[in-house]
Amino acid sequence: MQGYVIVMILLVIGGTIIDMIHKKSAQYFFENSQKQQANAKRTVGGGQKIAALIGVVLKEVMTSGEFENPMRRISHLFTMYGFILFVASTAVLIFGYPTSAEAGVWPMLWHLGAASLALGGYWFWFAIRVDVSSEGHKWYQLAKADLFIVSALMTVTWALVWSLSGAGKEGLNALFLALFILSATTLFSTVMWSKFAHMFFKPAAAFQKRMTKLDGSQENLPDLGDLTDPELQAKFPDIPEYMGTNPPNMGPGIKSEAPQHY
């Protein structure tokens, strides 16, 4: 099992690198960063950069604050932290307690991680998956983009079934273990075709976006500054007229209908 985990880690690293080469993600970030520096109107100090980095960690990484739909956000947090806890506890159990039945709190954390991932993942799949209700897609209609969530759900589902059935290696337990390993192998070996790799790019993209606002490059958009500034609103009176007194919220009209999907 230790050898298997090492192979899975190598598959994730290799798949991410291939994904970066295929989609040219690193090249995009590099070229976009150069364009941003060329269009910068202000110098951003070290303190501002650290504050922006902390903001990304607290909002986009730790609390998934970019999700405006609160149900989607909660589902994502259950899925994300469940996945982290499940993978981390699996590694600790396999490398830290390979032959010992006394593993302290780690078996409980393993089950909690699997249950959290299952809760968030199945909630997302059956209730709030993108465009399911609005476009009439059935829950069983699969696309390549579903590869990550489906393989992750199958991994923790068969992991829990195998564990609750006795965690043995004979009879039905052997079948459950085989399905568990097959699902996990699918999850970690298909990084290039799933959304797995995007979790590595998401913080970088969020940080770069914050920097464009700080240095005034604004991704080639007009650098108007703070839209709530009275002086700016006096110069452009259509801002409060069409966007409300608190422009970032786009006025009350945007909340006239609750979102059915994201």
Side-chain angles (χ1 to χ4, degrees):
M1 289 306 298
Q2 290 178 351
Y4 172 80
V5 171
I6 292 173
V7 170
M8 293 303 102
I9 293 173
L10 293 176
L11 285 175
V12 170
I13 294 173
T16 303
I17 293 174
I18 294 173
D19 183 81
M20 290 173 59
I21 296 173
H22 175 68
K23 296 177 181 176
K24 300 182 179 180
S25 303
Q27 179 182 343
Y28 166 78
F29 279 116
F30 178 73
E31 293 177 352
N32 208 35
S33 178
Q34 287 186 317
K35 186 187 298 183
Q36 171 194 335
Q37 293 175 11
N39 295 333
K41 297 178 176 64
R42 296 182 290 271
T43 300
V44 181
Q48 289 177 298
K49 291 181 180 179
I50 293 175
L53 182 60
I54 293 174
V56 168
V57 172
L58 293 178
K59 183 179 179 181
E60 280 83 2
V61 177
M62 295 186 66
T63 61
S64 301
E66 73 278 11
F67 289 111
E68 294 295 335
N69 184 332
M71 295 298 101
R72 178 68 184 96
R73 183 179 183 181
I74 296 171
S75 166
H76 182 81
L77 289 173
F78 270 111
T79 304
M80 178 179 70
Y81 283 110
F83 178 82
I84 293 172
L85 186 58
F86 177 71
V87 170
S89 55
T90 297
V92 170
L93 288 169
I94 289 176
F95 288 95
Y97 304 92
T99 59
S100 173
E102 297 297 327
V105 73
W106 288 104
M108 183 182 70
L109 294 178
W110 184 87
H111 286 86
L112 284 176
S116 176
L117 173 51
L119 173 62
Y122 280 114
W123 184 6
F124 165 75
W125 184 260
F126 288 108
I128 52 180
R129 188 166 135 237
V130 62
D131 289 337
V132 171
S133 59
S134 63
E135 295 187 1
H137 291 171
K138 303 298 183 182
W139 64 268
Y140 51 79
Q141 288 181 306
L142 301 177
K144 189 179 292 186
D146 300 321
L147 189 58
F148 173 76
I149 185 64
V150 171
S151 58
L153 284 175
M154 290 300 97
T155 298
V156 294
T157 297
W158 291 118
L160 290 172
V161 170
W162 171 68
S163 177
L164 295 175
S165 66
K169 294 183 284 186
E170 297 178 355
L172 278 178
N173 284 332
L175 174 63
F176 297 150
L177 178 60
L179 291 171
F180 171 27
I181 294 177
L182 177 63
S183 301
T185 304
T186 303
L187 173 64
F188 294 113
S189 65
T190 58
V191 171
M192 182 177 173
W193 300 279
S194 74
K195 291 182 65 179
F196 198 116
H198 98 287
M199 68 179 67
F200 303 112
F201 306 135
K202 176 183 168 183
F207 178 73
Q208 191 174 66
K209 186 173 184 179
R210 286 175 181 255
M211 290 300 298
T212 63
K213 293 180 179 180
L214 289 173
D215 64 20
S217 57
Q218 285 284 85
E219 299 176 303
N220 294 325
L221 295 174
D223 181 27
L224 295 177
D226 184 3
L227 296 181
T228 61
D229 183 4
E231 184 177 343
L232 181 66
Q233 293 189 2
K235 184 178 180 181
F236 301 101
D238 56 333
I239 291 178
E241 181 179 353
Y242 292 106
M243 302 177 69
T245 55
N246 192 7
N249 292 328
M250 300 295 287
I254 196 170
K255 295 187 177 180
S256 60
E257 179 184 352
Q260 300 301 313
H261 60 95
Y262 65 95

